[in-house]
Amino acid sequence: MLVFYKERLAFLAVPKTGSTAYHTALRDRADLVVTGPPDLKHAPVRRYDRFFQNIFRKMYDTEMEIMAVVREPLDWLGSWYRFRSRDDRIGHPHSTRDLSFDDFVQAYMRSPRPEFADVGSQSQFFRTRSNGAGASHVFKYENQGKVLDFLQDRLNMQINLQKENVSPQRELFLSRTTEEEFRQRHATEFAFHEAAR
């Protein structure tokens, strides 16, 4: 999470959407940088509103606009699957090393989800409190040009991004049956992504 007080902007870090690269590029420019623990670095809108936004309301009588990046749902799950197949995850309950992507997506659709597939939901990340504000600026991961243009304009600076936190390459094959079931059961995720810029 990055907060730019003068510009009244909070950049929330949806997991697996390239947020680490933005953190590295902008941490010296931000007024508040939260890089850990993961529950704070990746604080969803509700948590941000309850704790961080509340500070700005009470102390400065102001609110930050919220921006974030959202990824196409199957691409997002593919990123999680690849990330959790790293060598340092071998033997860990989160490891996906010995699974196919199809197995991973099938596990994601179970209730309850097994630990290795319990990665949350992008649409739930943006859920607001009953009296809270939502995200003002939501960008598609594949539209990095729009993300950069927005940030460079808002922060009045040139941003140079470097690739960070790159996951191993893995085959992301899904059976037609699994993909159709996922698209039907998680239509909200696709609609949310489609609505982003």
Side-chain angles (χ1 to χ4, degrees), residues 108-124:
Y108 182 83
M109 291 190 285
R110 278 191 235 144
S111 184
R113 291 178 183 134
E115 193 170 344
F116 65 83
D118 193 11
V119 296
S121 152
Q122 291 184 106
S123 66
Q124 287 299 304

Side-chain angles (χ1 to χ4, degrees), residues 14-17 44 69-77 80 108 119-127 139 141 189-190 192-193:
V14 178
K16 311 315 300 164
T17 61
V69 177
V70 66
R71 199 164 179 164
E72 191 278 333
L74 284 170
D75 186 43
W76 183 72
L77 282 183
W80 272 115
Y108 182 83
V119 296
S121 152
Q122 291 184 106
S123 66
Q124 287 299 304
F125 183 97
F126 290 93
R127 199 165 51 104
F139 296 91
Y141 174 82
E189 300 297 315
F190 289 95
F192 192 83
H193 172 260

Side-chain angles (χ1 to χ4, degrees), residues 9 11 22 67 147-155 159:
L9 183 69
F11 186 170
Y22 283 100
M67 77 158 288
V147 181
L148 275 171
D149 287 347
F150 173 80
L151 283 168
Q152 289 176 154
D153 183 59
R154 188 75 176 249
L155 303 177
I159 299 171

Side-chain angles (χ1 to χ4, degrees), residues 5 8 54-64:
Y5 180 75
R8 302 295 193 266
N54 216 23
I55 292 169
F56 295 112
R57 283 189 197 113
K58 289 186 175 180
M59 292 183 68
Y60 304 106
D61 193 30
T62 192
E63 289 194 17
M64 303 296 114

Side-chain angles (χ1 to χ4, degrees), residues 65-129:
E65 288 182 16
I66 295 170
M67 77 158 288
V69 177
V70 66
R71 199 164 179 164
E72 191 278 333
L74 284 170
D75 186 43
W76 183 72
L77 282 183
S79 184
W80 272 115
Y81 168 71
R82 290 185 295 107
F83 178 74
R84 289 188 164 186
S85 72
R86 299 180 332 251
D87 289 343
D88 67 345
R89 296 282 88 186
I90 294 173
H92 191 280
H94 288 169
S95 179
T96 59
R97 174 63 66 96
D98 298 324
L99 297 170
S100 70
F101 184 51
D102 200 278
D103 291 336
F104 179 73
V105 174
Q106 285 286 344
Y108 182 83
M109 291 190 285
R110 278 191 235 144
S111 184
R113 291 178 183 134
E115 193 170 344
F116 65 83
D118 193 11
V119 296
S121 152
Q122 291 184 106
S123 66
Q124 287 299 304
F125 183 97
F126 290 93
R127 199 165 51 104
T128 60
R129 297 193 314 149

Side-chain angles (χ1 to χ4, degrees), residues 28-57:
D28 293 337
R29 173 67 171 73
D31 297 297
L32 177 63
V33 180
V34 181
T35 58
D39 286 347
L40 291 182
K41 175 185 177 181
H42 297 293
V45 169
R46 288 171 65 89
R47 188 174 304 135
Y48 169 81
D49 189 56
R50 182 173 176 202
F51 297 106
F52 296 94
Q53 190 81 290
N54 216 23
I55 292 169
F56 295 112
R57 283 189 197 113

